[in-house]
Amino acid sequence: PVAALEFEASAPETRERLIRTLEATYEGTLDCPQLNGVRTNEEVLEGYRETGVFDPTRWLIARHQEQDVGCLLLADHPEDLSWELVYMGLIPSARGHGWGLEIARHAQWLTKQAGRPRLTVGVDAANLPAIRMYRAAGFEEWERRIVYLKIIHR
């Protein structure tokens, strides 16, 4: 794909950059903002890592003009012949450029390259900008779920 963004696969030497970028994408997020700060970044990453089949080469840092602007985390679900867009986000200064759509389309391209016929994603029903973006990328609503959570402070 021809794009404004470049994607760099996560590696041990880029781990801290990935964590910083991921953390920055939570600032001002509309995707389950009530969950911010409930878990440490390490706990969040561990949860993402446990989704599907983890492969660090499918965890990408999105870059624009040599600056980290977002991330894309993908997981394989071989039993369903699908990939999951586990998380994607942009830092606040990178929002509003259409790059979310570019990241979603990159995820679709990678899914097709891997020979998987489906890419799934979960999104907060209150996050209307994300829902519009996913629809623009061709995603269709498949299922709705309700999540109940009680936060017990440590």
Side-chain angles (χ1 to χ4, degrees):
V2 178
L5 299 178
E6 297 175 356
F7 294 88
E8 180 180 346
S10 178
E13 61 272 11
T14 61
R15 180 176 169 73
E16 290 305 314
R17 282 182 37 225
L18 177 66
I19 291 172
R20 276 194 313 273
T21 304
L22 178 76
E23 184 177 66
T25 68
Y26 292 152
E27 186 180 325
T29 185
L30 298 177
D31 204 37
C32 303
Q34 311 86 325
L35 297 180
N36 283 351
V38 172
R39 299 183 298 169
T40 67
N41 288 334
E42 275 303 317
E43 290 169 329
V44 169
L45 282 177
E46 186 59 32
Y48 291 154
R49 220 178 277 114
E50 291 175 4
T51 301
V53 176
F54 170 69
D55 179 344
T57 65
R58 291 191 292 260
W59 283 25
L60 308 167
I61 300 171
R63 308 196 73 205
H64 182 257
Q65 296 179 347
E66 299 183 20
Q67 298 294 316
D68 299 339
V69 296
C71 56
L72 169 62
L73 311 180
L74 298 160
D76 188 15
H77 292 275
E79 67 283 359
D80 297 330
L81 296 176
S82 68
W83 271 20
E84 180 179 353
L85 196 162
V86 177
Y87 181 80
M88 65 169 273
L90 288 162
I91 64 174
S93 63
R95 297 175 187 151
H97 301 284
W99 294 344
L101 181 58
E102 190 171 319
I103 292 172
R105 287 190 171 143
H106 189 74
Q108 291 169 328
W109 180 76
L110 290 172
T111 302
K112 183 167 177 69
Q113 294 300 308
R116 297 292 190 225
R118 268 182 310 285
L119 175 65
T120 61
V121 63
V123 64
D124 184 339
N127 189 346
L128 297 180
I131 290 170
R132 282 192 296 272
M133 182 275 300
Y134 287 123
R135 284 188 179 142
F139 285 85
E140 298 175 4
E141 184 176 323
W142 169 49
E143 182 176 70
R144 284 186 181 242
R145 295 182 181 173
I146 297 173
V147 176
Y148 292 95
L149 172 71
K150 175 156 180 71
I151 299 170
I152 301 173
H153 297 279
R154 297 176 189 189

